PDB file of all heavy atoms in Angstrom:
ATOM      1  N   ALA A 177    -129.398  64.020 -76.368  1.00 91.00           N
ATOM      2  CA  ALA A 177    -129.706  62.622 -76.072  1.00 91.00           C
ATOM      3  C   ALA A 177    -128.456  61.797 -75.828  1.00 91.00           C
ATOM      4  O   ALA A 177    -128.544  60.633 -75.432  1.00 91.00           O
ATOM      5  CB  ALA A 177    -130.496  62.016 -77.230  1.00 91.00           C
ATOM      6  N   GLY A 178    -127.276  62.365 -76.084  1.00 86.00           N
ATOM      7  CA  GLY A 178    -126.029  61.627 -75.917  1.00 86.00           C
ATOM      8  C   GLY A 178    -125.813  60.579 -76.982  1.00 86.00           C
ATOM      9  O   GLY A 178    -125.225  59.527 -76.724  1.00 86.00           O
ATOM     10  N   VAL A 179    -126.268  60.868 -78.204  1.00 87.00           N
ATOM     11  CA  VAL A 179    -126.131  59.885 -79.285  1.00 87.00           C
ATOM     12  C   VAL A 179    -125.393  60.468 -80.488  1.00 87.00           C
ATOM     13  O   VAL A 179    -125.732  60.208 -81.633  1.00 87.00           O
ATOM     14  CB  VAL A 179    -127.498  59.325 -79.734  1.00 87.00           C
ATOM     15  CG1 VAL A 179    -128.103  58.461 -78.655  1.00 87.00           C
ATOM     16  CG2 VAL A 179    -128.454  60.437 -80.139  1.00 87.00           C
ATOM     17  N   GLY A 180    -124.366  61.224 -80.239  1.00 75.00           N
ATOM     18  CA  GLY A 180    -123.541  61.674 -81.348  1.00 75.00           C
ATOM     19  C   GLY A 180    -123.451  63.170 -81.459  1.00 75.00           C
ATOM     20  O   GLY A 180    -124.377  63.906 -81.116  1.00 75.00           O
ATOM     21  N   GLU A 181    -122.317  63.624 -81.947  1.00 72.00           N
ATOM     22  CA  GLU A 181    -122.086  65.031 -82.185  1.00 72.00           C
ATOM     23  C   GLU A 181    -122.258  65.305 -83.676  1.00 72.00           C
ATOM     24  O   GLU A 181    -121.751  64.576 -84.515  1.00 72.00           O
ATOM     25  CB  GLU A 181    -120.685  65.413 -81.731  1.00 72.00           C
ATOM     26  CG  GLU A 181    -120.440  65.145 -80.250  1.00 72.00           C
ATOM     27  CD  GLU A 181    -118.987  65.371 -79.867  1.00 72.00           C
ATOM     28  OE1 GLU A 181    -118.265  66.004 -80.657  1.00 72.00           O
ATOM     29  OE2 GLU A 181    -118.594  64.907 -78.797  1.00 72.00           O
ATOM     30  N   GLY A 182    -122.987  66.349 -84.005  1.00 77.00           N
ATOM     31  CA  GLY A 182    -123.169  66.680 -85.401  1.00 77.00           C
ATOM     32  C   GLY A 182    -124.001  65.679 -86.173  1.00 77.00           C
ATOM     33  O   GLY A 182    -123.956  65.649 -87.400  1.00 77.00           O
ATOM     34  N   ASN A 183    -124.738  64.837 -85.467  1.00 86.00           N
ATOM     35  CA  ASN A 183    -125.640  63.867 -86.111  1.00 86.00           C
ATOM     36  C   ASN A 183    -124.927  62.778 -86.893  1.00 86.00           C
ATOM     37  O   ASN A 183    -125.535  62.105 -87.718  1.00 86.00           O
ATOM     38  CB  ASN A 183    -126.623  64.551 -87.059  1.00 86.00           C
ATOM     39  CG  ASN A 183    -127.738  65.248 -86.333  1.00 86.00           C
ATOM     40  OD1 ASN A 183    -127.614  65.545 -85.156  1.00 86.00           O
ATOM     41  ND2 ASN A 183    -128.813  65.514 -87.022  1.00 86.00           N
ATOM     42  N   TYR A 184    -123.647  62.561 -86.674  1.00 89.00           N
ATOM     43  CA  TYR A 184    -122.943  61.515 -87.402  1.00 89.00           C
ATOM     44  C   TYR A 184    -123.099  60.164 -86.712  1.00 89.00           C
ATOM     45  O   TYR A 184    -122.974  60.050 -85.496  1.00 89.00           O
ATOM     46  CB  TYR A 184    -121.456  61.856 -87.547  1.00 89.00           C
ATOM     47  CG  TYR A 184    -121.178  62.779 -88.702  1.00 89.00           C
ATOM     48  CD1 TYR A 184    -121.037  64.146 -88.494  1.00 89.00           C
ATOM     49  CD2 TYR A 184    -121.074  62.281 -89.991  1.00 89.00           C
ATOM     50  CE1 TYR A 184    -120.786  64.998 -89.552  1.00 89.00           C
ATOM     51  CE2 TYR A 184    -120.820  63.130 -91.053  1.00 89.00           C
ATOM     52  CZ  TYR A 184    -120.678  64.486 -90.833  1.00 89.00           C
ATOM     53  OH  TYR A 184    -120.439  65.318 -91.883  1.00 89.00           O
ATOM     54  N   PHE A 185    -123.355  59.156 -87.535  1.00 93.00           N
ATOM     55  CA  PHE A 185    -123.514  57.789 -87.069  1.00 93.00           C
ATOM     56  C   PHE A 185    -122.706  56.858 -87.976  1.00 93.00           C
ATOM     57  O   PHE A 185    -122.471  57.156 -89.144  1.00 93.00           O
ATOM     58  CB  PHE A 185    -124.987  57.368 -87.114  1.00 93.00           C
ATOM     59  CG  PHE A 185    -125.903  58.184 -86.244  1.00 93.00           C
ATOM     60  CD1 PHE A 185    -126.413  59.393 -86.688  1.00 93.00           C
ATOM     61  CD2 PHE A 185    -126.259  57.742 -84.978  1.00 93.00           C
ATOM     62  CE1 PHE A 185    -127.264  60.158 -85.895  1.00 93.00           C
ATOM     63  CE2 PHE A 185    -127.114  58.494 -84.172  1.00 93.00           C
ATOM     64  CZ  PHE A 185    -127.608  59.703 -84.631  1.00 93.00           C
ATOM     65  N   SER A 186    -122.306  55.721 -87.430  1.00 94.00           N
ATOM     66  CA  SER A 186    -121.736  54.621 -88.214  1.00 94.00           C
ATOM     67  C   SER A 186    -120.490  55.001 -88.996  1.00 94.00           C
ATOM     68  O   SER A 186    -120.420  54.831 -90.212  1.00 94.00           O
ATOM     69  CB  SER A 186    -122.790  54.044 -89.171  1.00 94.00           C
ATOM     70  OG  SER A 186    -123.852  53.472 -88.453  1.00 94.00           O
ATOM     71  N   GLY A 187    -119.491  55.532 -88.300  1.00 91.00           N
ATOM     72  CA  GLY A 187    -118.176  55.743 -88.907  1.00 91.00           C
ATOM     73  C   GLY A 187    -117.267  54.559 -88.626  1.00 91.00           C
ATOM     74  O   GLY A 187    -117.401  53.885 -87.605  1.00 91.00           O
ATOM     75  N   GLY A 188    -116.329  54.286 -89.518  1.00 91.00           N
ATOM     76  CA  GLY A 188    -115.399  53.171 -89.335  1.00 91.00           C
ATOM     77  C   GLY A 188    -114.287  53.487 -88.360  1.00 91.00           C
ATOM     78  O   GLY A 188    -113.892  54.644 -88.191  1.00 91.00           O
ATOM     79  N   GLY A 189    -113.747  52.455 -87.718  1.00 88.00           N
ATOM     80  CA  GLY A 189    -112.631  52.622 -86.800  1.00 88.00           C
ATOM     81  C   GLY A 189    -111.317  52.755 -87.541  1.00 88.00           C
ATOM     82  O   GLY A 189    -111.150  52.252 -88.656  1.00 88.00           O
ATOM     83  N   ALA A 190    -110.362  53.429 -86.930  1.00 84.00           N
ATOM     84  CA  ALA A 190    -109.063  53.656 -87.552  1.00 84.00           C
ATOM     85  C   ALA A 190    -108.195  52.400 -87.536  1.00 84.00           C
ATOM     86  O   ALA A 190    -108.268  51.593 -86.618  1.00 84.00           O
ATOM     87  CB  ALA A 190    -108.332  54.775 -86.825  1.00 84.00           C
ATOM     88  N   GLY A 191    -107.348  52.279 -88.561  1.00 83.00           N
ATOM     89  CA  GLY A 191    -106.356  51.212 -88.585  1.00 83.00           C
ATOM     90  C   GLY A 191    -105.109  51.609 -87.821  1.00 83.00           C
ATOM     91  O   GLY A 191    -104.818  52.796 -87.643  1.00 83.00           O
ATOM     92  N   GLN A 192    -104.358  50.591 -87.394  1.00 79.00           N
ATOM     93  CA  GLN A 192    -103.145  50.847 -86.620  1.00 79.00           C
ATOM     94  C   GLN A 192    -101.997  51.306 -87.515  1.00 79.00           C
ATOM     95  O   GLN A 192    -101.822  50.819 -88.626  1.00 79.00           O
ATOM     96  CB  GLN A 192    -102.729  49.566 -85.880  1.00 79.00           C
ATOM     97  CG  GLN A 192    -101.388  49.632 -85.183  1.00 79.00           C
ATOM     98  CD  GLN A 192    -101.353  50.693 -84.111  1.00 79.00           C
ATOM     99  OE1 GLN A 192    -102.376  51.020 -83.540  1.00 79.00           O
ATOM    100  NE2 GLN A 192    -100.193  51.220 -83.837  1.00 79.00           N
ATOM    101  N   ALA A 193    -101.245  52.279 -87.020  1.00 74.00           N
ATOM    102  CA  ALA A 193    -100.075  52.766 -87.745  1.00 74.00           C
ATOM    103  C   ALA A 193     -98.954  51.737 -87.720  1.00 74.00           C
ATOM    104  O   ALA A 193     -98.893  50.864 -86.854  1.00 74.00           O
ATOM    105  CB  ALA A 193     -99.595  54.072 -87.121  1.00 74.00           C
ATOM    106  N   ALA A 194     -98.066  51.837 -88.707  1.00 69.00           N
ATOM    107  CA  ALA A 194     -96.905  50.952 -88.736  1.00 69.00           C
ATOM    108  C   ALA A 194     -95.982  51.243 -87.560  1.00 69.00           C
ATOM    109  O   ALA A 194     -95.374  50.337 -87.000  1.00 69.00           O
ATOM    110  CB  ALA A 194     -96.155  51.123 -90.046  1.00 69.00           C
ATOM    111  N   TYR A 195     -95.852  52.510 -87.204  1.00 62.00           N
ATOM    112  CA  TYR A 195     -95.007  52.892 -86.076  1.00 62.00           C
ATOM    113  C   TYR A 195     -95.896  53.231 -84.897  1.00 62.00           C
ATOM    114  O   TYR A 195     -96.304  54.372 -84.697  1.00 62.00           O
ATOM    115  CB  TYR A 195     -94.119  54.076 -86.457  1.00 62.00           C
ATOM    116  CG  TYR A 195     -93.181  53.757 -87.574  1.00 62.00           C
ATOM    117  CD1 TYR A 195     -93.190  54.502 -88.745  1.00 62.00           C
ATOM    118  CD2 TYR A 195     -92.285  52.700 -87.468  1.00 62.00           C
ATOM    119  CE1 TYR A 195     -92.323  54.204 -89.779  1.00 62.00           C
ATOM    120  CE2 TYR A 195     -91.424  52.383 -88.496  1.00 62.00           C
ATOM    121  CZ  TYR A 195     -91.450  53.144 -89.653  1.00 62.00           C
ATOM    122  OH  TYR A 195     -90.598  52.842 -90.678  1.00 62.00           O
ATOM    123  N   GLN A 196     -96.178  52.228 -84.098  1.00 52.00           N
ATOM    124  CA  GLN A 196     -97.150  52.387 -83.030  1.00 52.00           C
ATOM    125  C   GLN A 196     -96.694  53.345 -81.935  1.00 52.00           C
ATOM    126  O   GLN A 196     -97.497  53.854 -81.180  1.00 52.00           O
ATOM    127  CB  GLN A 196     -97.471  51.031 -82.388  1.00 52.00           C
ATOM    128  CG  GLN A 196     -98.053  50.029 -83.351  1.00 52.00           C
ATOM    129  CD  GLN A 196     -97.001  49.109 -83.910  1.00 52.00           C
ATOM    130  OE1 GLN A 196     -95.847  49.494 -84.003  1.00 52.00           O
ATOM    131  NE2 GLN A 196     -97.387  47.910 -84.283  1.00 52.00           N
ATOM    132  N   ASN A 197     -95.400  53.579 -81.832  1.00 51.00           N
ATOM    133  CA  ASN A 197     -94.895  54.349 -80.704  1.00 51.00           C
ATOM    134  C   ASN A 197     -94.793  55.844 -80.974  1.00 51.00           C
ATOM    135  O   ASN A 197     -94.333  56.589 -80.146  1.00 51.00           O
ATOM    136  CB  ASN A 197     -93.518  53.838 -80.295  1.00 51.00           C
ATOM    137  CG  ASN A 197     -93.570  52.408 -79.811  1.00 51.00           C
ATOM    138  OD1 ASN A 197     -94.606  51.956 -79.364  1.00 51.00           O
ATOM    139  ND2 ASN A 197     -92.471  51.698 -79.912  1.00 51.00           N
ATOM    140  N   SER A 198     -95.206  56.277 -82.147  1.00 48.00           N
ATOM    141  CA  SER A 198     -95.093  57.688 -82.483  1.00 48.00           C
ATOM    142  C   SER A 198     -96.449  58.373 -82.359  1.00 48.00           C
ATOM    143  O   SER A 198     -97.398  57.994 -83.020  1.00 48.00           O
ATOM    144  CB  SER A 198     -94.563  57.851 -83.905  1.00 48.00           C
ATOM    145  OG  SER A 198     -94.572  59.215 -84.261  1.00 48.00           O
ATOM    146  N   ALA A 199     -96.492  59.406 -81.541  1.00 42.00           N
ATOM    147  CA  ALA A 199     -97.766  60.079 -81.302  1.00 42.00           C
ATOM    148  C   ALA A 199     -98.331  60.707 -82.560  1.00 42.00           C
ATOM    149  O   ALA A 199     -99.534  60.897 -82.681  1.00 42.00           O
ATOM    150  CB  ALA A 199     -97.597  61.142 -80.230  1.00 42.00           C
ATOM    151  N   SER A 200     -97.503  61.052 -83.516  1.00 40.00           N
ATOM    152  CA  SER A 200     -97.980  61.709 -84.731  1.00 40.00           C
ATOM    153  C   SER A 200     -98.351  60.721 -85.827  1.00 40.00           C
ATOM    154  O   SER A 200     -98.794  61.125 -86.894  1.00 40.00           O
ATOM    155  CB  SER A 200     -96.898  62.652 -85.271  1.00 40.00           C
ATOM    156  OG  SER A 200     -95.748  61.913 -85.654  1.00 40.00           O
ATOM    157  N   LYS A 201     -98.196  59.443 -85.575  1.00 49.00           N
ATOM    158  CA  LYS A 201     -98.357  58.456 -86.637  1.00 49.00           C
ATOM    159  C   LYS A 201     -99.666  57.682 -86.584  1.00 49.00           C
ATOM    160  O   LYS A 201     -99.950  56.926 -87.488  1.00 49.00           O
ATOM    161  CB  LYS A 201     -97.201  57.437 -86.595  1.00 49.00           C
ATOM    162  CG  LYS A 201     -95.812  58.060 -86.752  1.00 49.00           C
ATOM    163  CD  LYS A 201     -95.639  58.688 -88.116  1.00 49.00           C
ATOM    164  CE  LYS A 201     -94.223  59.189 -88.306  1.00 49.00           C
ATOM    165  NZ  LYS A 201     -94.040  59.834 -89.617  1.00 49.00           N
ATOM    166  N   GLN A 202    -100.420  57.867 -85.546  1.00 57.00           N
ATOM    167  CA  GLN A 202    -101.632  57.052 -85.405  1.00 57.00           C
ATOM    168  C   GLN A 202    -102.795  57.653 -86.183  1.00 57.00           C
ATOM    169  O   GLN A 202    -103.061  58.845 -86.106  1.00 57.00           O
ATOM    170  CB  GLN A 202    -102.005  56.947 -83.925  1.00 57.00           C
ATOM    171  CG  GLN A 202    -103.030  55.883 -83.604  1.00 57.00           C
ATOM    172  CD  GLN A 202    -102.431  54.506 -83.750  1.00 57.00           C
ATOM    173  OE1 GLN A 202    -101.248  54.329 -83.599  1.00 57.00           O
ATOM    174  NE2 GLN A 202    -103.246  53.523 -84.054  1.00 57.00           N
ATOM    175  N   GLY A 203    -103.495  56.833 -86.939  1.00 64.00           N
ATOM    176  CA  GLY A 203    -104.605  57.335 -87.739  1.00 64.00           C
ATOM    177  C   GLY A 203    -105.820  57.685 -86.902  1.00 64.00           C
ATOM    178  O   GLY A 203    -106.076  57.101 -85.855  1.00 64.00           O
ATOM    179  N   ASN A 204    -106.594  58.641 -87.372  1.00 66.00           N
ATOM    180  CA  ASN A 204    -107.848  59.016 -86.708  1.00 66.00           C
ATOM    181  C   ASN A 204    -108.992  58.121 -87.150  1.00 66.00           C
ATOM    182  O   ASN A 204    -108.977  57.588 -88.256  1.00 66.00           O
ATOM    183  CB  ASN A 204    -108.220  60.455 -87.047  1.00 66.00           C
ATOM    184  CG  ASN A 204    -107.321  61.464 -86.390  1.00 66.00           C
ATOM    185  OD1 ASN A 204    -107.058  61.369 -85.199  1.00 66.00           O
ATOM    186  ND2 ASN A 204    -106.839  62.412 -87.146  1.00 66.00           N
ATOM    187  N   GLY A 205    -109.987  58.005 -86.310  1.00 71.00           N
ATOM    188  CA  GLY A 205    -111.206  57.330 -86.716  1.00 71.00           C
ATOM    189  C   GLY A 205    -111.953  58.168 -87.751  1.00 71.00           C
ATOM    190  O   GLY A 205    -111.697  59.350 -87.922  1.00 71.00           O
ATOM    191  N   GLY A 206    -112.888  57.551 -88.460  1.00 75.00           N
ATOM    192  CA  GLY A 206    -113.698  58.279 -89.433  1.00 75.00           C
ATOM    193  C   GLY A 206    -114.594  59.287 -88.735  1.00 75.00           C
ATOM    194  O   GLY A 206    -114.789  59.231 -87.524  1.00 75.00           O
ATOM    195  N   THR A 207    -115.135  60.214 -89.501  1.00 74.00           N
ATOM    196  CA  THR A 207    -116.059  61.180 -88.934  1.00 74.00           C
ATOM    197  C   THR A 207    -117.223  60.431 -88.300  1.00 74.00           C
ATOM    198  O   THR A 207    -117.904  59.671 -88.969  1.00 74.00           O
ATOM    199  CB  THR A 207    -116.586  62.128 -90.013  1.00 74.00           C
ATOM    200  OG1 THR A 207    -115.477  62.788 -90.615  1.00 74.00           O
ATOM    201  CG2 THR A 207    -117.522  63.160 -89.406  1.00 74.00           C
ATOM    202  N   GLY A 208    -117.427  60.632 -87.021  1.00 68.00           N
ATOM    203  CA  GLY A 208    -118.414  59.839 -86.312  1.00 68.00           C
ATOM    204  C   GLY A 208    -117.879  58.469 -85.978  1.00 68.00           C
ATOM    205  O   GLY A 208    -118.595  57.617 -85.479  1.00 68.00           O
ATOM    206  N   GLY A 209    -116.601  58.247 -86.203  1.00 68.00           N
ATOM    207  CA  GLY A 209    -116.016  56.921 -86.004  1.00 68.00           C
ATOM    208  C   GLY A 209    -115.293  56.792 -84.695  1.00 68.00           C
ATOM    209  O   GLY A 209    -115.212  57.717 -83.901  1.00 68.00           O
ATOM    210  N   GLY A 210    -114.709  55.641 -84.471  1.00 59.00           N
ATOM    211  CA  GLY A 210    -114.076  55.315 -83.208  1.00 59.00           C
ATOM    212  C   GLY A 210    -112.679  55.857 -83.076  1.00 59.00           C
ATOM    213  O   GLY A 210    -112.184  56.583 -83.936  1.00 59.00           O
ATOM    214  N   GLY A 211    -112.047  55.455 -82.011  1.00 49.00           N
ATOM    215  CA  GLY A 211    -110.716  55.918 -81.705  1.00 49.00           C
ATOM    216  C   GLY A 211    -109.653  55.227 -82.511  1.00 49.00           C
ATOM    217  O   GLY A 211    -109.904  54.428 -83.383  1.00 49.00           O
ATOM    218  N   GLY A 212    -108.438  55.478 -82.161  1.00 53.00           N
ATOM    219  CA  GLY A 212    -107.311  54.926 -82.861  1.00 53.00           C
ATOM    220  C   GLY A 212    -106.181  55.912 -82.870  1.00 53.00           C
ATOM    221  O   GLY A 212    -105.071  55.619 -83.237  1.00 53.00           O
TER     222      GLY A 212
END
Side-chain angles (χ1 to χ4, degrees):
V179 291
E181 301 173 16
N183 284 20
Y184 277 98
F185 299 83
S186 296
Q192 172 62 28
Y195 298 122
Q196 300 96 332
N197 297 336
S198 175
S200 64
K201 301 295 185 181
Q202 194 71 27
N204 289 313
T207 302

